[in-house]
Amino acid sequence: MNAPRRWTKSAAVLGFTAAALLAGSGIATADEWPPIPNYPSPSVPFETKGFLTPTDPAYWNPLLAENRLTSPYGTSTRIVCTAFHGVLTGCWQADAQGYPHKLVALPFDFPNVTGSSMPGGGAQHFVYPGFIPGI
């Protein structure tokens, strides 16, 4: 009776250890900053803070076609983007520890209702991954 109980305890400890390792691996695996391409290239990564955030009153103006960012960090942490002819093609933002995370580009610049006829579809709205459930 003692051996099965010891086996059950060992299996439980191993299970909890495996679960902790799997859960912790998601935190440790951040994205990477965008690579610097071989020159000459029209799309070179650059640092920017040029986003409207929910704390800016202009963020909520549906007639303003400007890039928006919904993030728990606002623009307080490092943001690196790539662009082609002035249209953002991707952005990454550092978390509180400095690890990069690729921002999710929404299919439209919510709450903006104008600007879709601009080159490249106009301004974009980026969201920090996991900040809004389902995005």
Side-chain angles (χ1 to χ4, degrees):
M1 181 96 177
N2 198 9
R5 189 173 191 178
R6 190 175 324 147
W7 169 249
T8 305
K9 276 186 170 180
S10 297
V13 168
L14 286 174
F16 286 124
T17 303
L21 287 174
L22 287 175
S25 67
I27 295 169
T29 58
D31 295 322
E32 294 183 13
W33 294 110
I36 297 177
N38 295 330
Y39 290 97
S41 174
S43 182
V44 178
F46 61 95
E47 288 193 38
T48 184
K49 300 266 185 206
F51 290 95
L52 294 175
T53 60
T55 58
D56 299 320
Y59 174 96
W60 302 103
N61 184 349
L63 302 177
L64 188 60
E66 299 222 7
N67 293 314
R68 289 171 167 78
L69 173 65
T70 303
S71 167
Y73 307 107
T75 56
S76 66
T77 60
R78 181 180 183 206
I79 301 171
V80 175
C81 293
T82 55
F84 184 74
H85 291 286
V87 177
L88 297 178
T89 56
C91 290
W92 291 255
Q93 185 175 25
D95 58 19
Q97 290 77 34
Y99 296 111
H101 297 274
K102 186 164 178 36
L103 299 175
V104 178
L106 296 181
F108 55 93
D109 185 23
F110 177 82
N112 179 27
V113 295
T114 64
S116 61
S117 63
M118 296 171 67
Q124 292 195 23
H125 189 148
F126 289 93
V127 177
Y128 191 84
F131 185 60
I132 298 175
I135 295 180

